[in-house]
Amino acid sequence: MKYSRQREMILNNLCSRKDHPTADELYIDLKESLPNLSLGTLYRNLALLSENGTILKFHCGNSDRFDGNNNLHYHLICENCNRLYDIEHEPLTNLNSIFAEDYKGKINSHLLVFYGICENCNCSV
């Protein structure tokens, strides 16, 4: 992938966050430091970075959310607010070998997403 200053700043911003922003949220945050950034450029860079595995992309309700942490970890998508949250738990690395026992192909990794109600929405119910 060819170097791009804008892509590097998008990635750095995303990797420094824990809130799993939407493209619009990233755009608002980046616009001050990258005044010439267009929404189209941001979307193209997010697509490129997610397609090559540098970042993670999750469809949550009516929008996509992005995660700069591509290390093995788990998420919850809140069915009420459509936000994405990290679930703090040691990765279950043995899942690959457990499922590989009954699969004729090769399992290299896994992605596990839970659906439910986040702590903030659960407290307001």
Side-chain angles (χ1 to χ4, degrees), residues 25-78:
E25 291 168 342
L26 266 174
Y27 181 73
I28 291 166
D29 199 29
L30 287 164
K31 197 63 177 152
E32 187 175 315
S33 58
L34 291 170
N36 295 327
L37 178 68
S38 72
L39 202 49
T41 298
L42 177 63
Y43 275 105
R44 280 190 298 280
N45 278 288
L46 289 172
L48 180 65
L49 292 167
S50 64
E51 287 168 8
N52 76 11
T54 304
I55 64 172
L56 301 173
K57 176 181 172 180
F58 296 88
H59 187 69
C60 303
N62 294 328
S63 62
D64 292 326
R65 293 195 169 270
F66 299 91
D67 190 350
N69 178 4
N70 65 5
N71 294 319
L72 182 59
H73 66 289
Y74 305 114
H75 294 92
L76 173 108
I77 296 176
C78 180

Side-chain angles (χ1 to χ4, degrees), residues 79-94:
E79 295 169 328
N80 187 51
C81 67
N82 293 317
R83 294 200 65 86
L84 179 69
Y85 296 91
D86 288 333
I87 294 181
E88 302 299 329
H89 192 282
E90 191 67 30
L92 303 172
T93 54
N94 63 332

Side-chain angles (χ1 to χ4, degrees), residues 14-27:
L14 192 55
C15 288
S16 71
R17 303 172 75 135
K18 290 283 200 180
D19 63 342
H20 306 92
T22 63
D24 289 339
E25 291 168 342
L26 266 174
Y27 181 73

